Amino acid sequence: MKIDASDVRRAVAAAMLTASALDLAVDDAVVLHNSNKLAVRLLPCDVFARIAHAGREVARFEVRLAHQLAGAESPVAALEPRVAARAYEQDGFVITLWTYYESAPSGEVSSDDYARALERLHAGMRTLDVACPHFTDRVEEAEQVVASSDDRLLGDLDRELLSTTLRDLRGAIVDRSTVEQLLHGEPHAGNVLRTRTGLRFIDLETCCRGPVEFDLAHVPEQVSERYSGVDQQLLDACRCLVLAMVAAWRFEPGDQFPNRRRAGRELLRALREGPPWPALDVVTRRAEAGGAR
C-alpha cells in the first residue's frame, strides 16, 4: 500500500535514523517514488531504502529471497553489503536497505538481454527451496477484488467477464499439469533495472510458484519469443489470465496506478476482443495513449 503523503516525512526520517544507527553516513534523502513502497536514496552513503508500514512480513520474505538469489548469482538487485541482510523496524515502518545502482546510459533494453536475464533468474530460482504462494493464490486474490469492487467502478457485465476469465483460466492452466517452479511473479519492465553491470530484477515480494509462462505473460512479446522452450498455448492462456488479473487490480479501491480507470477500461476491451491476446505492454501503451490505436 502506498504511504500517505502525510506519513512520507516520518517514513523518510525512520529510514535515515535506521541507516545512521548502522553507522552509515546519512545527512540527506531523496524520495524516488511512492508506489507499493516508498523508495528513497540515502546520501552520502548512497543506499537505496525501501519503506513500508510495519506488519508486512513480505519485506522479510523479500530480503531472505534476495540474499539466497544473490548467492546463486542471479540477476537481482543486491542488498546493501555494509549491514546485516534483514528488515529493520523503526517508528511503525519496516525498512530494507539495498545497493543503489546508477542507471546505464540511455537506450532501449534489448529483447535478447531481457530474455537471457529472465532465464538466468529462473535458473537461479530453480535451485532454491522457498515456501511461497502459488500463482493460483494470486488469481484468487484478484477474484476477491472483482467480487467486492464498487458497482460504480465495475458494472455487472464487466464483473462477470473478469470473474469468468479468472476462474476458467486458473482451472485450465492447473489442469495442464505443467512443470512449475519459483517465479518472479511480475517481471515486467517496471521491475527491471538497467544498470551498468546489466539488467537486474527488483520487487521480489510478488514471487510465487507456477509455470514459467506465467512470468513470460508479463513481458513484451519480443522477449518471450527469445526465451527458450516456451509452451505457446500455455503462454497464450497465461497472457489472457494476466490481462484479467491486472484489470482486477485497476478496480481495487485505493489502487494508485496512474490513470487507473483508463487502464482498466483498455484491459477490459482487450479481453472482450478475444484472441490473439496482446502482451501486457501493448495494452499498457494503448491506455497511456488514451486508448487510441
Side-chain angles (χ1 to χ4, degrees), residues 46-97:
D46 221 8
V47 170
F48 183 80
R50 301 184 73 200
I51 313 162
H53 290 287
R56 300 188 67 199
E57 295 303 318
V58 69
R60 292 165 178 79
F61 167 77
E62 187 176 22
V63 166
R64 289 195 301 270
L65 187 56
H67 185 63
Q68 293 181 55
L69 285 170
E73 298 185 350
S74 294
V76 295
L79 294 156
E80 168 53 49
R82 290 170 286 181
V83 301
R86 51 165 290 200
Y88 298 87
E89 289 199 25
Q90 181 71 40
D91 193 23
F93 298 99
V94 60
I95 299 137
T96 53
L97 302 174

Side-chain angles (χ1 to χ4, degrees), residues 126-184:
R126 284 194 290 273
T127 68
L128 305 185
D129 183 14
V130 177
C132 69
H134 194 257
F135 85 95
T136 54
D137 296 325
R138 300 194 60 209
V139 178
E140 288 172 3
E141 290 175 3
E143 291 178 284
Q144 292 170 9
V145 169
V146 172
S148 61
S149 62
D150 193 323
D151 291 341
R152 293 170 296 180
L153 297 179
L154 192 63
D156 289 343
L157 291 178
D158 290 335
R159 190 191 309 277
E160 179 62 24
L161 172 62
L162 289 179
S163 296
T164 301
T165 302
L166 291 167
R167 181 187 65 244
D168 291 353
L169 283 174
R170 171 166 55 89
I173 292 169
V174 169
D175 288 346
R176 292 180 68 93
S177 301
T178 189
V179 174
E180 297 184 347
Q181 68 157 80
L182 183 65
L183 305 173
H184 181 285

Side-chain angles (χ1 to χ4, degrees), residues 7-278:
D7 288 335
V8 168
R9 181 175 296 181
R10 191 164 58 88
V12 171
M16 294 178 70
L17 183 60
T18 296
S20 294
L22 294 168
D23 295 326
L24 296 171
V26 183
D27 56 29
D28 193 15
V30 179
V31 174
L32 301 177
H33 57 82
N34 185 7
S35 54
N36 59 325
K37 290 187 179 74
L38 184 68
V40 177
R41 183 182 183 184
L42 303 177
L43 297 167
C45 61
D46 221 8
V47 170
F48 183 80
R50 301 184 73 200
I51 313 162
H53 290 287
R56 300 188 67 199
E57 295 303 318
V58 69
R60 292 165 178 79
F61 167 77
E62 187 176 22
V63 166
R64 289 195 301 270
L65 187 56
H67 185 63
Q68 293 181 55
L69 285 170
E73 298 185 350
S74 294
V76 295
L79 294 156
E80 168 53 49
R82 290 170 286 181
V83 301
R86 51 165 290 200
Y88 298 87
E89 289 199 25
Q90 181 71 40
D91 193 23
F93 298 99
V94 60
I95 299 137
T96 53
L97 302 174
W98 305 78
T99 297
Y100 178 80
Y101 294 95
E102 291 286 353
S103 297
S106 61
E108 291 291 328
V109 174
S110 83
S111 298
D112 279 328
D113 288 346
Y114 199 155
R116 298 293 82 76
L118 188 54
E119 286 185 332
R120 287 177 54 213
L121 177 66
H122 286 158
M125 286 179 156
R126 284 194 290 273
T127 68
L128 305 185
D129 183 14
V130 177
C132 69
H134 194 257
F135 85 95
T136 54
D137 296 325
R138 300 194 60 209
V139 178
E140 288 172 3
E141 290 175 3
E143 291 178 284
Q144 292 170 9
V145 169
V146 172
S148 61
S149 62
D150 193 323
D151 291 341
R152 293 170 296 180
L153 297 179
L154 192 63
D156 289 343
L157 291 178
D158 290 335
R159 190 191 309 277
E160 179 62 24
L161 172 62
L162 289 179
S163 296
T164 301
T165 302
L166 291 167
R167 181 187 65 244
D168 291 353
L169 283 174
R170 171 166 55 89
I173 292 169
V174 169
D175 288 346
R176 292 180 68 93
S177 301
T178 189
V179 174
E180 297 184 347
Q181 68 157 80
L182 183 65
L183 305 173
H184 181 285
E186 291 185 3
H188 53 70
N191 283 335
V192 181
L193 294 180
R194 189 171 184 269
T195 77
R196 297 178 186 275
T197 57
L199 301 182
R200 292 178 181 266
F201 291 88
I202 60 173
D203 271 2
L204 300 174
E205 63 183 37
T206 56
C207 285
C208 57
R209 294 196 68 82
V212 293
E213 285 79 5
F214 181 79
D215 262 3
L216 291 170
H218 291 81
V219 305
E221 185 174 2
Q222 298 89 334
V223 176
S224 62
E225 288 175 344
R226 288 164 172 77
Y227 191 102
S228 304
V230 177
D231 181 330
Q232 189 60 50
Q233 288 187 331
L234 181 56
L235 175 56
D236 289 343
C238 288
R239 276 204 182 121
C240 183
L241 177 65
V242 166
L243 292 176
M245 290 175 66
V246 177
W249 306 140
R250 299 294 78 87
F251 294 102
E252 182 179 22
D255 179 59
Q256 301 293 330
F257 191 84
N259 298 316
R260 69 186 184 101
R261 292 193 184 185
R262 179 188 298 169
R265 288 194 299 270
E266 193 60 38
L267 288 156
L268 287 169
R269 186 173 83 169
L271 291 170
R272 284 193 295 268
E273 289 178 347
W277 307 111

